[in-house]
Amino acid sequence: LVEYGFEQFVTEPKMFMKDLPNGGRCEFMLYIDDILGISNSSSFIEKFYEDLNKFTTCKNQGEIVSTLGIELEHSSTSVSLSQQTQIEKLLHRHAMEDCSGRDMPIPPSFSLRDALEAEPLNGSQKQVFQSLVGSFLYIARNTRPDIGYATWLLACAMAKPTAPCLKAAFYLLRYLKKTKNLKLTYKFSS
C-alpha cells in the first residue's frame, strides 16, 4: 500500500489514507478480508478496485448503509449514525420489547456507593449484568454519548455487581427502548 502512496495512520494501524490530485482524498480501513473506505473521487474508486482485482476478487458494494452494527444514513448535507437494530436485538435478548420506556438513562436516586454496599449478585445474574454493560459500552462508544455517564457508573460495578446495579442496568435498557430512534448526526460544512 505504501508503494501506491497510502500512509498508515499512527494511532490506527488498520487505517490508511491518501491525498489525491485536485484536493481529493481516500481513507479506508483494512479488515481481514474486507475494506471499508470513503473517497470524494469516483474515478479513484474505480481505479482502486481495478488495481485490487489484479491480486484478488473484489467488488464495490456501493454506499455503506450498515457496518459493525452501526446503521448509516446519508444525505447531501449530513451523515447520521444509529444503532436502532442493535438496541432492538438487545431488548429482544432480555424479553423487553414491550417494556415501558424511561426519560432518563439512570434513576435520579441511584447512588453507586449505596448500590455497591448491597449483596453481590449470583453467577448467572452477574453474567446478565456484565453482558448488558458490555452492550451499553459498545452503543455509547459508537452512537450514543447520551448514555456515557450512566454506562460508566454501571461499569464501575463490573467486578461485584449487586441487585441495585442490575436494576439500574435494566432502567438504562428501558431508556434505550424509548430513545432507540435517536441518531448521531454529523453535518457537512464547506
Side-chain angles (χ1 to χ4, degrees):
L1 292 171
V2 174
E3 67 187 54
Y4 286 97
F6 285 96
E7 294 179 39
Q8 190 173 23
F9 277 67
V10 175
T11 57
E12 182 54 65
K14 297 176 191 159
M15 191 162 183
F16 299 85
M17 73 114 201
K18 178 178 183 170
D19 288 321
L20 306 173
N22 302 325
R25 187 174 174 107
C26 174
E27 293 184 11
F28 70 89
M29 301 249 345
L30 179 61
Y31 295 96
I32 295 167
D33 61 352
D34 288 323
I35 296 174
L36 177 66
I38 59 171
S39 178
N40 57 356
S41 170
S42 57
S43 61
F44 176 79
I45 293 171
E46 290 172 18
K47 177 78 169 115
F48 185 69
Y49 278 105
E50 183 181 307
D51 289 348
L52 277 175
N53 280 313
K54 292 176 184 174
F55 305 102
T56 186
T57 303
C58 185
K59 69 177 184 173
N60 183 346
Q61 295 185 337
E63 197 169 271
I64 302 164
V65 294
S66 176
T67 183
L68 302 171
I70 302 168
E71 297 145 36
L72 292 93
E73 291 179 19
H74 307 265
S75 78
S76 61
T77 59
S78 66
V79 63
S80 295
L81 311 174
S82 73
Q83 287 180 283
Q84 182 174 344
T85 302
Q86 290 297 106
I87 292 168
E88 288 170 353
K89 287 179 182 178
L90 186 59
L91 289 162
H92 178 73
R93 188 177 325 137
H94 294 281
M96 296 199 46
E97 303 98 300
D98 299 323
C99 72
S100 58
R102 295 290 180 255
D103 292 326
M104 298 172 59
I106 201 149
S109 60
F110 181 77
S111 163
L112 181 61
R113 179 173 294 169
D114 293 344
L116 291 175
E117 291 177 4
E119 189 69 28
L121 297 173
N122 66 37
S124 64
Q125 291 172 319
K126 180 179 179 179
Q127 192 173 25
V128 167
F129 176 82
Q130 291 172 335
S131 175
L132 276 169
V133 174
S135 297
F136 297 153
L137 285 166
Y138 187 74
I139 292 167
R141 180 174 189 250
N142 292 312
T143 62
R144 297 292 301 270
D146 59 318
I147 68 166
Y149 179 71
T151 300
W152 173 79
L153 276 177
L154 295 173
C156 289
M158 288 292 267
K160 290 196 320 189
T162 62
C165 295
L166 184 59
K167 184 176 179 182
F170 279 108
Y171 190 98
L172 178 51
L173 188 55
R174 287 171 177 263
Y175 172 76
L176 287 173
K177 156 80 178 193
K178 184 170 185 172
T179 62
K180 67 183 177 181
N181 297 326
L182 289 181
K183 296 175 174 70
L184 185 61
T185 300
Y186 296 96
K187 296 198 182 235
F188 304 138
S189 66
S190 58

